[in-house]
């Protein structure tokens, strides 16, 4: 079972920041927060991951609260191509050993 | 230049048939996986495999078997197909250097299997 809770859907205007929340209140000290997304008819795509500190890469930023019980994925300037289901996953080992458990995710719809 | 490619993209077949889905990765990764995404869109691990170890999700029926001719390929064979096998099957790969937290998964685009 997924150890995260995400809203089922969100809308965002094109060009605006998309802020996707995730609750992971039972996260343990050695577990990381991972984000993947799945664009329609494609396989999931890795976005970003983090442990305690905020992280940023070319795709997104990840903000993790100090108590690590929740996090927010930020797409700074959403485009129509960012419309997808976004999965927040907590895992000790990332992709290895098949330890990623995908929940239902958040369906993000970016609108013109 | 697709990193993880799987064929066919669509597979329609009758109950009781045996079918295979092929997967190839050109990333030089050591570990490959098969995931199943059911009608409710839950994505679940079926197998992870490298040249040393096959890890099977215990809920996967033994009608499903992975075959790896070399480390760049992991094919999925399914015997005696059932209606409940209808789903989208995704192949994935990762670098596979043990339990590393930076193990990103790279997924193929999926094979939609429909059993009639």
């Amino acid at each position: 079972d997924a150890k995260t809770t995400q809203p089922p859907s969100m809308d965002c205007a094109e060009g605006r920041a998309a802020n996707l929340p995730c609750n992971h209140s039972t996260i343990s000290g050695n577990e990381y927060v991972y984000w993947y997304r799945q664009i329609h008819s494609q396989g999931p795509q890795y976005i970003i991951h983090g442990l305690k500190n905020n992280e940023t890469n070319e795709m997104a930023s990840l903000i993790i609260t100090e108590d690590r019980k929740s996090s927010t994925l930020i797409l700074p300037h959403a485009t129509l191509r960012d419309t997808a289901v976004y999965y927040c996953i907590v895992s000790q080992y990332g992709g290895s050993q098949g330890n990623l458990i995908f929940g239902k995710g958040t369906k993000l719809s970016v609108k013109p | 230049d697709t990193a993880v490619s799987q064929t066919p993209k669509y597979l329609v077949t009758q109950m009781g048939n045996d079918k295979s889905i092929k997967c190839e990765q050109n990333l030089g990764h050591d570990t490959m996986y098969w995931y199943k995404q059911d009608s409710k869109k839950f994505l679940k691990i079926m197998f992870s495999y490298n040249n040393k170890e096959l890890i099977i999700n215990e809920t996967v029926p033994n009608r499903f078997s992975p075959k790896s001719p070399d480390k760049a390929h992991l094919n999925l064979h399914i015997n005696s197909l059932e209606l409940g096998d209808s789903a989208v099957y995704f192949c994935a790969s990762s670098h596979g250097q043990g339990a590393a937290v930076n193990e990103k998964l790279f997924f193929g685009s999926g094979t939609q299997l429909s059993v009639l």
Side-chain angles (χ1 to χ4, degrees), chain A residues 32 34 36 38 41-46 49 87 92-104, chain B residues 9 33 35 37 40-43 45 48 55 90 94 98-105 107-110:
Chain A
Y32 285 64
Y34 292 82
Y36 279 73
Q38 187 173 18
S41 296
Q42 296 183 24
Q45 176 191 24
Y46 167 86
H49 75 279
Y87 298 99
Q92 185 177 0
Y93 295 118
S96 69
Q97 305 175 9
N99 274 313
L100 292 183
I101 299 176
F102 289 78
K104 289 190 174 182
Chain B
K9 186 165 179 66
Y33 311 81
Y35 278 78
Q37 188 166 40
K40 295 182 180 179
K41 301 300 183 183
F42 283 112
L43 194 63
I45 182 75
S48 68
I55 300 174
F90 289 97
S94 70
V101 296
N102 291 320
E103 281 289 349
K104 305 169 192 174
L105 286 183
F107 284 83
S109 57

Side-chain angles (χ1 to χ4, degrees), chain A residues 50-66:
Chain A
L51 181 65
K52 290 189 288 189
N53 298 324
N54 297 337
E55 302 288 344
T56 296
N57 63 20
E58 65 279 2
M59 290 183 70
S61 295
L62 175 60
I63 309 298
I64 303 174
T65 58
E66 193 169 344

